[in-house]
Amino acid sequence: GKWLQIAEFGLEQAHGKNMERLKQIRSQTNVGAASGDFIPELALYVRLNILRGIQSFYNGDLNGAQTHLMKAEMDMRKLQISDLDLVKLESMGFTHKESRRALRFCNGNIDGAINHIYNKRDELERKRKAEIKRAADRRLQKKYGATKNGKFVDLTLLDQLQGMGVEKEIAIEALRQTDNAGEDTLNLCLDPERKGILASTLYSRFMNDEFIWKIEQVIDVLGGAGIVSESRVRAALFITFNDVEEAINMLSQPTPTEVIELDRVEVIFIPYVQKRQERIRREREMAEKMRKLQEEQAKKLLEQQKLEQEQQNEENPNDDQEMNDDEQQQQEVEQGMNVDGNTDNEVNEDNQDNDGDDNMGDEEEANNTKPMAIDDGVDENDDDVKKDEDGNIVEPKQRKVKAMPNPNLGDVNENDEDEEDVVDKLVDTFNPIGYTQPNDDDMKIEQHILDDLDTINDEDEYLDLPLDAEKDALQNLKVLLTSMQMNNGGGDNGNGGGDQSFLSLFKK
């Protein structure tokens, strides 16, 4: 009896004497119920009255046991729903779970239960759409890239800027450059001069050959340069943030809005593409001219060598005969014959004279090609000239110096440096977002999240209260009281096993 008194006192302190505090909380939670509120905490009072009835029964107080049994049955009826009403709702196509929850929420009112089911379905659909939108927004933020401080682009501010007529790419670039700062973003987007500088910074990032392989890939997929122009492909990649698959879809099956966007952006890329193609054409022509010039030079060199060989053959027709004479003279020398060697000495002297003339000519040519000395006004040997580690002359840095203001003369201490303009803070590169490309596992995770929306943080879970144990306990208490009345107090005999089974229903 002591523990039951403690439990009863605790429930009264928590819920109020007549559950006023609990009813007020539930009524605020269950706004829109047809005829009141559903209080699952009544199951605690059902169990308390059942235990009170058992206590009175074993204390011999049958009237007290009957009173507690009646209270438990009254609270139990508030928790139970009609099986007939449950079957009616299930026959209308609603699930067992939906029907049971709706009937409990609406205290057995069928019309209210039907409306409640439809409202819950609409609420679940809104949650699914909100989750799908959240995932789509996060994918867009990853595509747009991070700001200077690594934040995601604020999509709400982006929508507001687009509503003011600002181009989408300009608005995104402004938000990235200003870290989603509203005032600086408006200054960049609405001031024509600042907007022009911002646009130049943005488009110059794409006017290069860094992603030329993506451009060639898109052109090859769409059928070659005769089908789609390079400027068109660059515009599509610019709009899709260098996404090849989206660019191909946009160019192959564009919507009317995408056609307008492509035309607007393509106009910006056409001059650059024309200059690039002209530069490539000139480089190819120059390469072709150099190749032809090299071929002509090689051909002339070959002809000159051939001509020199022919002239040498014409000037020395008796070379073979001279070689034979030399061999014969060598043989005579070996035999001890004296042979005059003046001829060889003269030949050697002539060769030396020719070598001397060639050396003199080379020296004269070297003297003629000696570079002229340029006077740049700087004496490199001067000790006052400062040089860096590589020996280059370091120019002195010019610094602005202003005299200290004199209050006696009416001078004012003004700030020399004006406030830095937002365009002076523009950057050319941003840190990439650290994430991997979505794969099949990511798609499955998103689908699981959508499927589990009705079970995660389920606010109506309290309506799924199981009452099987309470039903069995009430039935056993009725049996005990009935047997006691029939036997006029002899119900204590032989009920030990039944009492143990009865009390085990509350062991949880």
Side-chain angles (χ1 to χ4, degrees), residues 361-384:
D362 296 337
E363 292 177 357
E364 293 177 357
E365 183 178 359
N367 293 329
N368 293 331
T369 59
K370 184 178 180 180
M372 296 179 62
I374 300 175
D375 186 8
D376 54 0
V378 178
D379 187 2
E380 296 183 357
N381 296 324
D382 192 354
D383 296 336
D384 296 336

Side-chain angles (χ1 to χ4, degrees), residues 128 370 441:
R128 292 178 63 88
K370 184 178 180 180
D441 292 337

